[in-house]
Amino acid sequence: MRNLQQGKNKGKDKVSENYESWTIDDTNELLHLLADAINSRLCDANGSLSMQNVERVILPRLNAKIRFPKTYNHYLSRMKWFRKQYNKMSMLMHNNSGFGL
């Protein structure tokens, strides 16, 4: 019986025990650090931050200010979330502003 239940919950058990969700404060701090990194010209020619710069500059500063330390994978996850939020807002503005046709 236990094996049948595990098969049904296959995708639900992927969250590890030690994972802590991003809080609003964590997210805001990351945004501030990203803005500082871009203003300091740490981004590549294509406008993205390299893994080395994120691990060397952003993550140590972020982890010094938040309660639960984040890794590069946490960073990638939050960047994916930012991208989704941006796309939602962009679509909303495109459809409601009168500028997009």
Side-chain angles (χ1 to χ4, degrees):
M1 183 73 161
R2 182 175 165 100
N3 290 338
L4 292 175
Q5 289 177 341
Q6 284 179 345
K8 289 180 184 177
N9 296 331
K10 203 172 198 177
K12 295 180 183 177
D13 295 332
K14 288 186 178 181
V15 177
S16 65
E17 292 178 21
N18 60 357
Y19 179 77
E20 292 293 330
S21 297
W22 285 84
T23 64
I24 299 282
D25 293 334
D26 297 349
T27 301
N28 287 337
E29 188 60 39
L30 178 61
L31 278 175
H32 288 293
L33 291 170
L34 289 171
D36 289 344
I38 291 169
N39 289 334
S40 300
R41 302 189 190 277
L42 290 177
C43 51
D44 297 336
N46 64 359
S48 64
L49 292 167
S50 68
M51 180 180 180
Q52 291 80 16
N53 283 336
V54 170
E55 289 181 333
R56 183 177 52 87
V57 178
I58 294 175
L59 289 177
R61 292 178 186 172
L62 178 67
N63 289 333
K65 295 184 178 184
I66 63 175
R67 184 174 176 186
F68 297 105
K70 304 295 184 191
T71 64
Y72 185 72
N73 286 336
H74 293 122
Y75 164 80
L76 290 177
S77 172
R78 188 51 29 164
M79 294 306 290
K80 185 176 177 181
W81 181 84
F82 281 140
R83 200 171 299 114
K84 284 182 186 178
Q85 299 306 312
Y86 172 81
N87 288 337
K88 287 178 188 177
M89 188 58 70
S90 178
M91 186 63 74
L92 176 70
M93 296 305 290
H94 177 77
N95 291 331
N96 292 326
S97 68
F99 293 109
L101 297 175

